[in-house]
Each structure stands twice: as C-alpha cells, then as structure tokens.
C-alpha cells in the first residue's frame, strides 16, 4: 500500500552567503518575490499538494520565518479598525499545529538539516522543499510529483535538464529507463567535477522520500563541500528502494543567487495583472535605450 504524503520538511537553516549582506539579519527565505516572501510560495505549493504538516528546520536568526506564519494580533486589529481587508494575510496564517519547528544548531548541510526532522517525520513518507528554488507550474511541482508518487510509490525526486556546463553546481542523476515523465534513477552524484556528470539531469530541490533515508543520514558522512549531503544518502538507497526522477512540467527560478532573484521578480511581476503594465513599460523603455546601459537613475 502506498502511504500518503502528509508531511513536508522545509530546510531553512542555511546561511545564504550568496545573498549577503541582505541575509546578514534577514533569512533568505523571507526576501520577497514581488510582494510575498519566498517561504510563502513553497508553503502554498505544499498545501496545494495536500501536505498537512509543515516542518521548518530553522537555525540562528531565522525566527522571522516562524513569526511570519503567526497571527499578527495588533496588525489585524489595527487594520480591522480602519476598515482594511484582512484577506491579504490569509495565506500567512498557519492553522493550529500546522507548523512544527526543529533547530539545526549548525549548518552542516542539507542532508543534516533533513535528518534533524527525523523524529517528527517518524515512519512515513515525506516531502522536502527547498524554498529558494521557486518552482512554477500548473499544477504546481510538488502536486505533479504527488500524483506520480500516488501511482508508483517509492522515492520520487523532481528533475530538470540543464546545460552540461552547469552540472557541477548540482545533484545529478544517472538515468535509466523512462516512462512518460518518470525516469528510473540508477545513481546520483552531488556536484560532480566538470566533465564527469553522468547526465545533464539535475535535482532542483523537491523530493518525496521514504523514511529509510533517515537511517542513511544517521551515518553523518560528509560529501561534496564537506557537508552532509542528501544526495549521498539517497544514492546509497538505490537498488534497495525504487527511485524515480520526475521531469517537472514548468519553470524554475533559482533564488539562491542575486541574478536568480531579480529574474524571478521580473517573471512573477510580468504575470501579475495589476503591476505587469508598468513593469513591462519600464523594461521596454529601459532596454530600448540606445546606449544599452538602462536607466542609471532608476
Ligand atoms: P544552499 O545550498 O542554497 O545553501 O541550501 P545556503 O546556506 O542557503 O546558501 P549559500 O550557498 O550560502 O548562499 C539549500 C537549502 O538548504 C538549506 C538552506 O536554507 C536552503 O533552503 N540548508 C542548507 C539548511 O537548512 N541547512 C544547511 O546546513 C544547509
């Protein structure tokens, strides 16, 4: 019997050094794409995919993430007294018990962050969503994956093709046979040295995993970059459990870097009816300037 995916882990304890100085005192996941923090997009994705319990793996300086999903009593009372509509706050209100937090005292790697949630996950399949990867699709990425998982079970991880020149930045799979959007995974490697990747299919940060991966993470072995890698723990399970890559139908924005964040903001702004016209006008006039340098005083 295939057990439902009811729980999702959001590893949010990373230092976000690529976005310094912004991330010196603000969690990366609280930086906004248009008018919502990144974490909101990931939480919406999980909720739409049927997830009931959101497990935040936090660290020092990440309290704003948890506060964000609280009831802001003073704000709501003040807005109400002024006749302002509170609907805008609805997605940021967690229901009682929906969010559980656990602390990763040191950022020892993504695998370690996931392992910190082992007692909360227990003996159930669970999803992992990296909030700095903004995944846009209809239905959303995790929902597409859950639909595939409900048919085949086992472990299902999102996958995307990237140019070969970029594979050294990611977890990359060794693909086997394909069936529609699912591809059997024969092996995985985290950040392969340039020119050694087994394919150009990378793992962009959405996973549905069986709880046995926690037993692999118990070993606390370090891998690429001296970090405890989730990819390495998953790789050790291949052959003992089914592993499929799910070729996600949609777009991905890597908001872990400044350029990715800017592009995500532009892409999302151009999809918003209320602000798209002014953003489009600005972009068009800026790009058409003959000096090609844009508006220095914007
Ligand atoms: P990244 O590889 O983007 O690392 O982590 P980072 O620390 O956030 O950012 P940079 O590279 O220093 O700029 C991917 C995801 O895993 C989480 C991060 O919060 C992010 O959501 N993570 C990473 C942890 O929770 N703990 C860790 O030890 C490492």
């Amino acid at each position: 019997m295939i057990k439902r995916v009811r729980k999702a882990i959001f590893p949010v304890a990373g230092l976000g050094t690529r976005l310094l100085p912004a991330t010196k005192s603000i969690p990366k996941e609280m930086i906004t794409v248009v008018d919502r923090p990144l974490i909101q997009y990931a939480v919406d994705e999980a909720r739409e995919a049927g997830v009931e319990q959101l497990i935040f793996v936090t660290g020092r300086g990440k309290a704003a993430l948890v506060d964000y999903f609280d009831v802001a009593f003073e704000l709501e009372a003040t807005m109400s007294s002024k006749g302002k509509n509170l609907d805008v706050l609805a997605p940021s209100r967690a229901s009682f018990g929906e969010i559980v937090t656990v602390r990763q005292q040191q950022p020892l790697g993504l695998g370690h962050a996931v392992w910190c949630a082992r007692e909360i996950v227990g003996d159930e399949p669970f999803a992992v969503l990296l909030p700095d990867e903004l995944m846009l699709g209809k239905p959303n990425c995790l929902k597409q994956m859950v639909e595939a998982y409900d048919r085949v079970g086992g472990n299902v991880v999102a996958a995307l093709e990237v140019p070969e020149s970029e594979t050294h930045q990611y977890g990359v799979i060794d693909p086997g046979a394909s069936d529609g959007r699912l591809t059997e995974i024969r092996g995985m490697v985290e950040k392969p040295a340039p020119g050694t990747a087994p394919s150009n299919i990378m793992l962009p940060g959405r996973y549905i995993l069986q709880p046995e991966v926690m037993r692999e993470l118990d070993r606390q072995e370090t891998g690429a970059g001296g970090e405890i890698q989730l990819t390495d723990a998953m790789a050790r399970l291949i052959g003992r459990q089914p592993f499929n890559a799910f070729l996600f139908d949609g777009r991905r924005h890597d908001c872990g870097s400044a350029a990715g964040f800017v592009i995500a903001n532009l892409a999302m702004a151009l999809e918003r009816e209320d602000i798209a016209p002014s953003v489009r006008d600005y972009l068009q006039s800026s790009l058409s300037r003959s000096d090609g340098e844009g508006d220095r005083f914007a």
Side-chain angles (χ1 to χ4, degrees):
M1 201 192 77
I2 297 172
K3 280 193 193 168
R4 260 190 67 211
V5 179
R6 298 187 315 120
K7 303 184 178 187
I9 301 177
F10 299 77
V12 290
L15 298 178
T17 54
R18 284 169 295 162
L19 291 171
L20 283 169
T23 46
K24 187 176 170 192
S25 62
I26 300 171
K28 166 168 71 177
E29 301 80 6
M30 284 304 293
I31 300 179
T32 52
V33 172
V34 185
D35 52 9
R36 289 165 164 239
L38 266 180
I39 188 72
Q40 182 76 69
Y41 292 92
V43 162
D44 289 352
E45 184 181 335
R47 283 171 169 161
E48 279 167 37
V51 168
E52 291 160 11
Q53 190 173 60
L54 315 171
I55 306 164
F56 287 7
V57 183
T58 70
R60 274 173 62 78
K62 300 281 184 164
L65 278 161
V66 185
D67 288 345
Y68 173 80
F69 287 98
D70 220 336
V71 173
F73 180 76
E74 280 179 31
L75 174 66
E76 293 191 11
T78 310
M79 285 175 70
S80 294
S81 70
K82 292 185 174 174
K84 291 190 192 278
N85 190 342
L86 296 182
D87 289 353
V88 69
L89 293 173
S92 66
R93 259 195 235 114
S95 58
F96 294 121
E98 186 184 14
I99 292 184
V100 178
T101 65
V102 63
R103 200 86 169 178
Q104 185 192 25
Q105 285 88 347
Q106 278 177 276
L108 299 179
L110 174 60
H112 184 261
V114 169
W115 179 77
C116 286
R118 66 199 179 283
E119 295 297 337
I120 305 167
V121 161
D123 190 26
E124 301 194 28
F126 59 96
V128 179
L129 296 95
L130 306 191
D132 56 352
E133 296 277 358
L134 184 56
M135 308 289 273
L136 304 173
K138 282 196 181 115
N140 74 47
C141 181
L142 189 65
K143 195 166 166 105
Q144 291 180 31
M145 291 168 65
V146 165
E147 283 166 11
Y149 165 83
D150 286 343
R151 281 187 283 115
V152 300
N155 301 269
V156 177
V157 299
L160 278 178
E161 290 187 56
V162 291
E164 264 169 42
S165 58
E166 292 178 14
T167 52
H168 64 283
Q169 303 170 33
Y170 303 113
V172 178
I173 68 161
D174 177 8
S178 290
D179 179 8
R181 294 201 162 270
L182 288 173
T183 298
E184 180 204 347
I185 300 180
R186 294 192 306 205
M188 289 181 218
V189 51
E190 184 64 36
K191 299 188 177 64
T196 66
S199 74
N200 66 337
I201 304 174
M202 58 77 99
L203 308 178
R206 297 291 183 273
Y207 313 82
I208 295 173
L209 300 173
Q210 295 299 319
E212 286 76 15
V213 76
M214 296 294 189
R215 302 293 70 77
E216 296 302 320
L217 289 167
D218 284 341
R219 293 158 64 156
Q220 307 272 299
E221 270 174 27
T222 53
E227 297 194 339
I228 299 170
Q229 298 288 358
L230 181 60
T231 307
D232 296 342
M234 293 190 298
R236 286 197 293 268
L237 275 180
I238 294 170
R240 284 188 276 149
Q241 289 201 342
F243 261 90
N244 279 293
F246 179 82
L247 222 50
F248 155 63
D249 181 17
R251 279 180 298 132
R252 159 201 180 236
H253 294 290
D254 174 10
C255 297
S257 68
F261 240 119
V262 173
I263 293 168
N265 266 286
L266 290 175
M268 293 301 279
L270 291 172
E271 281 177 18
R272 277 267 299 258
E273 268 177 31
D274 53 342
I275 55 174
S278 48
V279 175
R280 192 176 298 112
D281 283 353
Y282 170 73
L283 286 176
Q284 274 164 353
S285 65
S286 187
L287 292 172
S288 64
R289 281 169 64 93
S290 55
D291 62 10
E293 288 177 9
D295 184 348
R296 283 185 295 146
F297 305 105

